[in-house]
């Protein structure tokens, strides 16, 4: 799994393209309001070298066991929080054009993506 440093590098050094279920592509600025809740296919992160990675809006299961497929994605990193509250760091994005590194409780169900 990626470290939080790798997640931050992905956020800071790529162009993020939001893709809806119909295949329409949006910049971060265009995505806000253009992609309806539940209609986000995922985000393509493209680096300066032209290589890209697609992360689906796979949702996540939190304490309420809700699956936010098509609306949000929280993707685990391998980095734990410094505090003792059982949390870990993650990549977060939503259909509103928001992308950031966040944190969440490790007992919740978040997708993972392996890296080399």
């Amino acid at each position: 799994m990626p470290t939080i440093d790798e997640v931050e590098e992905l956020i800071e050094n790529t162009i993020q393209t939001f893709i809806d279920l119909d295949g329409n592509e949006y910049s971060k600025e265009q995505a806000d309001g253009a992609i309806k809740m539940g209609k986000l296919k995922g985000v393509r992160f493209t680096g300066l070298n032209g290589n890209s990675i697609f992360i689906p809006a796979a949702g996540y299961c939190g304490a309420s066991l809700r699956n936010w497929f098509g609306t949000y994605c929280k993707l685990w990193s391998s980095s734990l929080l410094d505090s003792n509250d059982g949390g870990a760091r993650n990549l977060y994005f939503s259909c509103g054009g928001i992308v950031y590194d966040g944190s969440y409780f490790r007992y919740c169900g978040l997708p993972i993506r392996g890296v080399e």
Side-chain angles (χ1 to χ4, degrees):
M1 294 188 329
T3 65
I4 196 60
D5 291 337
E6 291 169 320
V7 168
E8 290 170 350
E9 181 180 351
L10 183 72
I11 293 169
E12 295 170 8
N13 297 315
T14 62
I15 296 171
Q16 292 101 40
T17 305
F18 290 71
I19 304 170
D20 69 15
L21 290 177
D22 295 323
N24 300 311
E25 298 184 359
Y26 305 90
S27 68
K28 287 171 54 173
E29 297 76 22
Q30 295 168 324
D32 188 21
I35 302 176
K36 294 182 172 51
M37 298 277 281
K39 301 293 183 183
L40 178 63
K41 184 175 183 179
V43 177
R44 183 176 57 238
F45 296 83
T46 306
L48 298 175
N49 61 4
N51 292 343
S52 66
I53 183 172
F54 176 80
I55 309 280
Y60 61 94
C61 292
S64 65
L65 297 178
R66 294 177 72 179
N67 179 355
W68 293 99
F69 175 78
T71 304
Y72 305 103
C73 183
K74 291 186 178 192
L75 188 75
W76 282 132
S77 80
S78 62
S79 302
L80 302 178
L81 289 176
D82 292 334
S83 62
N84 218 2
D85 65 1
R89 304 293 302 273
N90 63 278
L91 166 67
Y92 171 90
F93 63 80
S94 75
C95 59
I98 299 168
V99 179
Y100 66 86
D101 62 311
S103 61
Y104 211 58
F105 299 107
R106 288 188 291 161
Y107 62 80
C108 296
L110 276 63
I112 63 169
R113 176 76 185 238
V115 296
E116 292 183 42

